């Protein structure tokens, strides 16, 4: 992460990280570990191996290691969804909202739309997850300061657990949030609060 070059986590480094966390946890029994990226589903064999390793260490060290995975859902097929449901406490699924909003910041290769495959994979997962923990997480930017409409769009698809957060970007980025946007942002949160109060 943040090295300026692309690379995949290898199993040895992953195990060392788990060992460090477990050995540094002291008397704490509950430990939370999140697979995120980049995109962890691109490194699926390592995610699976580390999941099994965490389960083994939970038994050996009498710890409750709770796993989360954060994914853009492009590669979230049935096999991966079933594994996540069976082995992970939480799943965070990235979708920014309406099609034009989502595709602006998350295009597929060649600038094509990723919205359709992401939406379908997320909805398949949500149906399978039933009452299990998940969040559909969106990022709003200066390009969609009307993000309450994106939240309503995601909810209209049948999603119950939604989280939206502001983009973190350099000041010079055209999509970064500016101080003059704050009043608009506060208004959007008020809209969402009123919407929630009425449901």
């Amino acid at each position: 992460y943040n090295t300026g070059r692309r690379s995949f986590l290898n199993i040895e480094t992953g195990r060392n990280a788990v060992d460090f966390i477990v050995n540094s946890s002291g008397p704490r029994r509950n430990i939370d570990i999140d697979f995120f990226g980049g995109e962890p589903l691109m490194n699926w064999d390592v995610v699976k191996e580390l999941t099994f390793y965490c389960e083994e260490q939970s038994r050996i060290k009498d710890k409750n290691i709770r796993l989360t995975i954060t994914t853009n859902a492009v590669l979230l097929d049935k096999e991966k969804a079933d594994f996540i449901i069976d082995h992970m406490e939480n799943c965070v699924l990235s979708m920014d909202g309406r099609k034009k909003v989502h595709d602006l910041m998350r295009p597929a290769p060649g600038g094509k739309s990723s919205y359709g495959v992401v939406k379908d994979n997320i909805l398949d997962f949500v149906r399978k997850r039933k009452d299990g923990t998940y969040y559909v997480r969106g990022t709003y930017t200066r390009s969609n300061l009307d993000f309450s409409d994106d939240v309503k769009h995601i909810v209209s698809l049948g999603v119950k657990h939604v989280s939206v957060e502001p983009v973190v970007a350099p000041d010079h980025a055209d999509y970064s949030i500016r101080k003059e946007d704050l009043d608009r942002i506060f208004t959007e949160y008020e809209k969402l609060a009123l919407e929630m109060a009425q449901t």
Side-chain angles (χ1 to χ4, degrees):
Y1 176 74
N2 207 27
T3 61
R5 62 182 175 82
R6 294 183 178 191
S7 63
F8 286 110
L9 176 72
N10 63 49
I11 191 65
E12 181 183 359
T13 302
R15 284 180 180 149
N16 288 340
V18 172
D19 291 343
F20 174 80
I21 292 166
V22 170
N23 294 333
S24 301
S25 64
R28 291 183 183 88
R29 186 154 190 282
N30 292 324
I31 298 171
D32 291 289
I33 296 175
D34 187 352
F35 296 108
F36 68 100
E39 174 49 51
L41 299 190
M42 292 179 69
N43 201 13
W44 184 241
D45 289 342
V46 169
V47 169
K48 283 172 51 177
E49 277 296 311
L50 288 176
T51 298
F52 295 137
Y53 186 69
C54 286
E55 291 172 350
E56 176 188 73
Q57 292 305 302
S58 289
R59 291 187 295 271
I60 292 170
K61 302 290 177 72
D62 192 31
K63 298 288 185 179
N64 180 27
I65 301 177
R66 300 176 298 200
L67 299 178
T68 295
I69 191 163
T70 298
T71 174
N72 64 25
V74 170
L75 300 175
L76 187 59
D77 58 23
K78 181 183 184 307
E79 182 253 327
K80 295 179 183 73
D82 289 345
F83 184 90
I84 291 166
I85 289 166
D86 290 343
H87 294 274
M88 299 195 186
E89 182 78 15
N90 191 13
C91 183
V92 181
L93 303 143
S94 298
M95 179 181 181
D96 290 342
R98 296 160 289 175
K99 181 179 185 298
K100 66 177 183 179
V101 170
H102 178 85
D103 285 341
L104 182 67
M105 299 302 289
R106 300 177 191 270
K112 296 178 181 176
S113 174
S114 68
Y115 173 84
V117 69
V118 167
K119 174 180 70 75
D120 291 346
N121 288 348
I122 286 175
L123 294 181
D124 284 346
F125 180 87
V126 167
R127 280 190 287 272
K128 290 177 184 174
R129 188 71 165 180
K130 297 181 181 173
D131 295 327
T133 307
Y134 73 87
Y135 287 92
V136 173
R137 183 199 177 281
T139 301
Y140 64 85
T141 71
R142 195 154 209 259
S143 302
N144 66 312
L145 291 175
D146 58 346
F147 61 87
S148 66
D149 288 338
D150 293 301
V151 173
K152 287 189 276 187
H153 173 74
I154 294 169
V155 171
S156 76
L157 299 174
V159 173
K160 293 182 179 177
H161 308 288
V162 182
S163 169
V164 292
E165 301 173 25
V167 69
V168 176
D171 290 342
H172 61 80
D174 59 356
Y175 56 86
S176 66
I177 304 292
R178 295 172 173 76
K179 188 174 182 180
E180 59 263 31
D181 299 326
L182 291 178
D183 285 343
R184 176 73 184 277
I185 290 169
F186 297 153
T187 298
E188 291 297 297
Y189 279 119
E190 286 173 10
K191 284 183 188 177
L192 287 172
L194 289 170
E195 191 82 23
M196 288 179 67
Q198 291 168 5
T199 56

